[in-house]
Amino acid sequence: MRGKIFGFVSTALPVACLLFGGCGAQEDQQVNDTLVESGTKQSVEESGTGVTGAAEVLIAPDSTIERLMQGSVVSVDLDGDGNQEVLTVSSESSAEEPSFIGGEDLPEIQVSDQVFTGQYLYELGCYGENPDWESWYLFDIDVNDSYKEIGLYFDGPSGDPQTYLFRFAEGQLINLGSFYICPYSYFDEKIQITVPGDGTITGVGRVDLVETNFATRMWKLKEADEPDAYLEEVPLEVYELAQYDRTMGIGVITTRQEIAVYADKSLDAAGVSISEGTEVAFLRFHVSAWGEDAWPEEGWMELTWGDGQTGYFFWSGYGEDGVTTPDGSFLAEDLFMNLSHAG
């Protein structure tokens, strides 16, 4: 195990120094002019940003995820070489001609004497929209590899959460990919994903299974100890669906007519009747087959109603015969009212 997140956050460093370059680079800081590429990855000297001394606030040494305010500065060994990099993320780009993506400028990442502008992140494949201008994240996704990861959250064009992960390795910034969850709950004011340090990230994200809902999803860092590691979603056999109060939104799911469901996950199982107008809740989705990108293509939806009765129907997509019951195959909307579908 090499180096967990262990560093210091600057709360005393003037934000204006970080955003507008008023402080300049320290005398003992090396500037590598050879790092300039296409005007998007700059040296501190060229960008005028500069990182200076910081008040030392300890970050928990065993932490696998930290939420930090934009403009704060962290000293941390990002690549496991035993040397502390000075890291900050700023909402103000120092590029001469900042690139606007979806109407929003991408943040800028500075690692010691290197500045990776929003345009540079875009060239790396970061296409996020509506960035979180308030905070960023420092991860140790796999405590057994040599690296830490930098996370940038985007709210997407219409509330479509996406968190991009980057790694600093061999003097370069590498895009590891993204996961589709916001790491932080602004309602509960706490981290809402699980990062156990074994290379995985787990949380509740949007899914489209019979309707648009939310379920537990998992991503894993593949080839974690290689500089060019990548994030990949883990296909799950069962997706636990989030249960929430629907009365304040689209409404509780109810049966549009009397329907029959299976008593077990088998087309040969006995049928169980549910009366018209009965309130039901979808509990979990049991996957039978995966499609592209390891996403469920078909499987059994488990639902509950009444005093805890449960049953199943087979779902194979949003088509006219996507829902199979003992009475035949139907469009889901022909059987259920108040299904949610994101636009």
Side-chain angles (χ1 to χ4, degrees):
M1 183 185 303
R2 294 181 60 186
K4 300 189 178 186
I5 296 176
F6 189 86
F8 303 97
V9 180
S10 167
T11 54
L13 181 64
V15 174
C17 294
L18 288 168
L19 302 186
F20 304 112
C23 297
Q26 287 193 56
E27 293 180 1
D28 60 351
Q29 199 164 27
Q30 297 297 316
V31 176
N32 187 348
D33 292 329
T34 64
L35 296 173
V36 182
E37 294 180 4
S38 305
T40 57
K41 181 172 69 173
Q42 304 172 317
S43 68
V44 168
E45 185 175 80
E46 290 174 321
S47 70
T49 304
V51 175
T52 185
E56 297 180 342
V57 180
L58 187 64
I59 293 177
D62 293 326
S63 176
T64 56
I65 177 172
E66 291 283 347
R67 179 174 181 258
L68 303 165
M69 296 298 100
Q70 288 212 22
S72 56
V73 177
V74 181
S75 292
V76 62
D77 184 1
L78 289 172
D79 52 7
D81 64 356
N83 298 317
Q84 299 275 303
E85 281 78 33
V86 182
L87 171 66
T88 186
V89 175
S90 300
S91 58
E92 182 82 6
S93 175
S94 63
E96 293 183 3
E97 296 181 0
S99 173
F100 287 83
I101 312 303
E104 299 286 350
D105 192 13
L106 294 174
E108 173 180 279
I109 298 174
Q110 180 175 330
V111 181
S112 295
D113 63 346
Q114 298 175 247
V115 177
F116 301 94
T117 67
Q119 179 63 34
Y120 190 82
L121 300 187
Y122 181 71
E123 292 174 1
L124 286 180
C126 178
Y127 305 131
E129 297 186 42
N130 296 323
D132 176 4
W133 293 124
E134 181 178 310
S135 61
W136 55 284
Y137 300 88
L138 184 60
F139 289 86
D140 192 358
I141 299 174
D142 191 333
V143 298
N144 294 306
D145 68 28
S146 304
Y147 301 96
K148 310 296 178 290
E149 293 77 32
I150 304 163
L152 300 181
Y153 172 68
F154 298 85
D155 202 36
S158 57
D160 305 305
Q162 186 172 16
T163 302
Y164 279 88
L165 293 177
F166 300 90
R167 170 177 285 179
F168 182 73
E170 300 175 354
Q172 302 292 320
L173 197 67
I174 299 171
N175 182 0
L176 303 179
S178 61
F179 61 93
Y180 298 95
I181 301 175
C182 179
Y184 183 77
S185 169
Y186 289 88
F187 180 78
D188 296 323
E189 297 185 340
K190 64 180 182 180
I191 296 294
Q192 62 178 0
I193 60 174
T194 301
V195 187
D198 62 354
T200 64
I201 297 172
T202 304
V204 176
R206 179 181 288 183
V207 295
D208 284 298
L209 299 169
V210 185
E211 65 164 356
T212 302
N213 206 317
F214 294 87
T216 300
R217 299 173 67 175
M218 177 185 291
W219 284 263
K220 185 172 181 62
L221 196 59
K222 309 292 285 188
E223 301 180 14
D225 207 29
E226 297 297 323
D228 55 349
Y230 59 95
L231 200 65
E232 184 175 88
E233 183 158 10
V234 178
L236 303 178
E237 293 186 358
V238 179
Y239 286 83
E240 296 286 341
L241 298 174
Q243 304 300 314
Y244 59 95
D245 184 3
R246 299 176 64 115
T247 59
M248 302 298 293
I250 191 172
V252 178
I253 301 174
T254 58
T255 53
R256 191 179 293 276
Q257 56 182 295
E258 182 177 348
I259 67 171
V261 295
Y262 295 98
D264 202 353
K265 300 186 294 294
S266 170
L267 296 177
D268 296 325
V272 180
S273 293
I274 305 177
S275 302
E276 178 182 351
T278 299
E279 294 185 0
V280 302
F282 298 156
L283 294 179
R284 55 189 63 89
F285 188 81
H286 304 259
V287 183
S288 297
W290 287 267
E292 296 182 359
D293 300 323
W295 191 245
E297 191 170 68
E298 58 183 33
W300 291 92
M301 179 60 79
E302 182 178 351
L303 68 162
T304 184
W305 69 95
D307 57 357
Q309 296 168 275
T310 59
Y312 305 83
F313 61 81
F314 191 78
W315 184 76
S316 57
Y318 286 104
E320 294 291 330
D321 57 354
V323 173
T324 300
T325 75
D327 292 334
S329 296
F330 304 88
L331 180 71
E333 280 74 13
D334 290 341
L335 302 180
F336 303 102
M337 298 176 61
N338 298 329
L339 295 180
S340 173
H341 296 289

